[in-house]
Amino acid sequence: MPSKIVLNADLNVCSALRSWVGNNSEVLKGFDLLVAEDVLERMTSGGSLDNLAVRSSRAIADGGDIELAATILHGDVSGLVHFPAPGAERAGDVLSEPLLRAALLNNLPIALNPATASAILRGIKGSRRGFLIFNPIAGQGDPNAELAEIRNYLEPQIMLEVWMTKPGLDPGVQAHELIKEINAFDQEGQGKSLIIASGGDGTVGAVASALRGTDIPLGIIPRGTANAFSVALGIPTSVKAACTNLILGNTRLVDVALCNDKPMILLAGLGFEAGMVNKASRELKNMLGPMAYIFSGARQLVEQQPFDAKLMIDGETTEVHASAITVANAAPATSVMAQGFGQVIPDDGQLEVIIASPRGRMGGFSVLSSLAKSAVLKNSANNADIFCVRTHQLSVTLPKPQTMVIDGEIEETDRMTVSVIPDALKVIAPIRLSP
């Protein structure tokens, strides 16, 4: 259920509705209030409704009740407050009006007087509110069916409001807008709001970047190709199981890194990792799913050229001739180039740095097999061509620009500076049974 309330009253009792709104204005600040134009005019004749988010529909006389009823039937409303005029002449008609009929059909809370309206408002205020940022082009499934499935699992437990991602608009911008709304709603410390990202790692990363440093939990319903961040935290990748995880509500604080001043929840890579991601096009991912990365990785292994780099780690400078430099904050076992220690710990306040310097194509195969074995056995790689270190920050200087990947985004650069911010993000994730 979203955080919208329809307000309505017979025209001769609009003053009672106005008084109720005034008495509950602090709580109502967290809601969008939908009111017919003529009802709103009567309500504001005794004073404005400043600081409240009020949106008017057409007047009741012009079909505003039908317009608001359609909004209710669409599932975009969390409650109906309707004050009818007293008197026996209204008793037989009250449940036949479009607003009330729509609310009954949608099993929506209905208040017919100030006492029940306040009770409903307190109930809604104390409920968990979930703002779902939904990417309809993520994954290979039917987005309409998946969204309906998410609503079916979550809405009995969580008031859900859906925000669709839009082409050309960073989901992080949408998340920042929601953070402002949540902070206003939860200013009295009563709120239980969360922001849910449903899409691939790009959508999740953008929302996570916006949430870093806040106390608002990030929920994830993964629907992408790799879903690397979800897998790294043990979040289920099926819609039903991911929704169950959200309902359980266990939270975990994880680190966030900054790479060239950009937030990074997964990893950054120069060389092999960047080339592999660059070759895994959207068309290839649509055709092959996660296998796209394996296919593009095989191509990159053949084509990868070594490069020179100067690293500064913990104040010490090192020059390397490498085919891959990977810096990981969090990564699943399938991110092979991050597995120098056998696993990447997302909440230890450190970055895992893996530098691979194989000699020839066979050396490249040996490096990949060593890292893959480390991921399976969860121990450090044993290969002379692999150097691994954990650190809080590092910088890489390149004499020639190289392709770099940061959480799936590709760019050209001649430097890479990465630092970690411990416990910067609260994520709803399963309870850990082991470190």
Side-chain angles (χ1 to χ4, degrees):
M1 269 184 293
S3 53
K4 296 178 182 176
I5 297 177
V6 169
L7 302 180
N8 191 54
D10 289 341
L11 295 183
N12 58 341
V13 292
C14 285
S15 59
L17 182 59
R18 174 69 178 85
S19 296
W20 178 81
V21 170
N23 293 334
N24 294 275
S25 60
E26 286 302 312
V27 178
L28 287 170
K29 284 180 181 178
F31 294 91
D32 291 328
L33 306 178
L34 311 181
V35 193
E37 190 176 71
D38 45 356
V39 174
L40 182 61
E41 184 177 348
R42 294 284 185 99
M43 290 176 65
T44 54
S45 63
S48 66
L49 301 178
D50 291 342
N51 301 319
L52 295 179
V54 180
R55 180 165 62 86
S56 64
S57 71
R58 67 182 68 183
I60 295 293
D62 297 328
D65 52 346
I66 298 173
E67 182 179 325
L68 290 172
T71 303
I72 292 173
L73 290 173
H74 192 262
D76 290 337
V77 175
S78 57
L80 168 64
V81 175
H82 173 74
F83 289 179
E89 70 277 7
R90 299 287 302 169
D93 298 331
V94 69
L95 294 182
S96 64
E97 296 184 8
L99 284 174
L100 294 164
R101 178 166 167 74
L104 288 170
L105 288 172
N106 256 34
N107 196 29
L108 199 69
I110 302 171
L112 300 178
N113 56 46
T116 54
S118 296
I120 287 175
L121 190 59
R122 286 194 298 271
I124 294 174
K125 176 68 175 179
S127 301
R128 292 173 73 195
R129 300 197 317 157
F131 295 91
L132 173 63
I133 297 177
F134 185 88
N135 186 348
I137 65 171
Q140 291 84 45
D142 179 347
N144 293 325
E146 290 173 338
L147 180 56
E149 187 179 6
I150 291 169
R151 283 187 179 275
N152 181 58
Y153 290 134
L154 292 185
E155 287 193 329
Q157 307 291 334
I158 299 173
M159 289 170 47
L160 199 63
E161 181 171 338
V162 179
W163 286 42
M164 292 288 188
T165 61
K166 300 175 182 178
L169 178 63
D170 187 338
V173 174
Q174 294 175 302
H176 279 297
E177 292 180 24
L178 289 173
I179 290 168
K180 294 178 183 177
E181 180 175 339
I182 289 170
N183 288 338
F185 188 82
D186 295 349
Q187 62 182 341
E188 299 173 4
Q190 302 176 36
K192 302 175 183 177
S193 301
L194 65 147
I195 295 179
I196 305 165
S198 182
D201 284 314
T203 303
V204 172
V207 177
S209 297
L211 286 174
R212 67 187 175 97
T214 74
D215 196 43
I216 300 170
L218 168 66
I220 302 173
I221 302 176
R223 296 172 33 257
T225 302
N227 301 313
F229 190 62
S230 301
V231 174
L233 298 183
I235 296 171
T237 55
S238 75
V239 169
K240 181 178 181 179
C243 289
T244 300
N245 172 62
L246 294 180
I247 291 170
L248 291 174
N250 297 306
T251 59
R252 178 180 181 181
L253 290 174
V254 299
D255 306 332
V256 175
L258 291 177
C259 180
N260 289 4
D261 299 322
K262 296 180 180 179
M264 180 186 93
I265 60 171
L266 284 164
L267 56 82
L270 295 163
F272 180 85
E273 184 81 29
M276 180 184 67
V277 173
N278 200 23
K279 285 183 171 61
S281 65
R282 166 52 58 186
E283 292 78 10
L284 194 63
K285 289 190 282 187
N286 286 340
M287 288 188 297
L288 302 179
M291 288 294 294
Y293 291 104
I294 297 175
F295 179 79
S296 60
R299 290 172 56 194
Q300 186 61 27
L301 183 64
V302 174
E303 299 175 10
Q304 180 63 51
Q305 297 296 316
F307 56 92
D308 294 320
K310 181 184 292 186
L311 285 76
M312 179 172 287
I313 302 174
D314 295 333
E316 295 187 6
T317 300
T318 303
E319 294 187 0
V320 298
H321 188 65
S323 294
I325 299 175
T326 301
V327 184
N329 177 64
T334 49
S335 297
V336 176
M337 294 306 299
Q339 303 303 318
F341 289 98
Q343 60 179 329
V344 182
I345 303 172
D347 56 1
D348 63 350
Q350 296 191 91
L351 302 162
E352 275 80 359
V353 182
I354 296 88
I355 302 168
S357 305
R359 287 157 290 188
R361 190 178 303 173
M362 291 307 298
F365 280 115
S366 175
V367 163
L368 285 177
S369 62
S370 295
L371 292 171
K373 182 179 179 181
S374 295
V376 172
L377 300 179
K378 296 188 182 302
N379 59 19
S380 297
N382 184 16
N383 188 301
D385 293 334
I386 301 173
F387 172 75
C388 308
V389 65
R390 285 190 170 109
T391 183
H392 303 288
Q393 61 181 22
L394 82 156
S395 63
V396 181
T397 304
L398 302 162
K400 295 180 180 180
Q402 297 288 330
T403 302
M404 178 176 68
V405 59
I406 306 175
D407 282 358
E409 298 297 320
I410 298 293
E411 61 182 66
E412 292 292 315
T413 187
D414 59 3
R415 67 178 184 88
M416 180 170 69
T417 302
V418 193
S419 59
V420 68
I421 308 171
D423 297 341
L425 181 66
K426 181 185 287 186
V427 184
I428 299 176
I431 297 173
R432 288 174 294 166
L433 299 179
S434 60

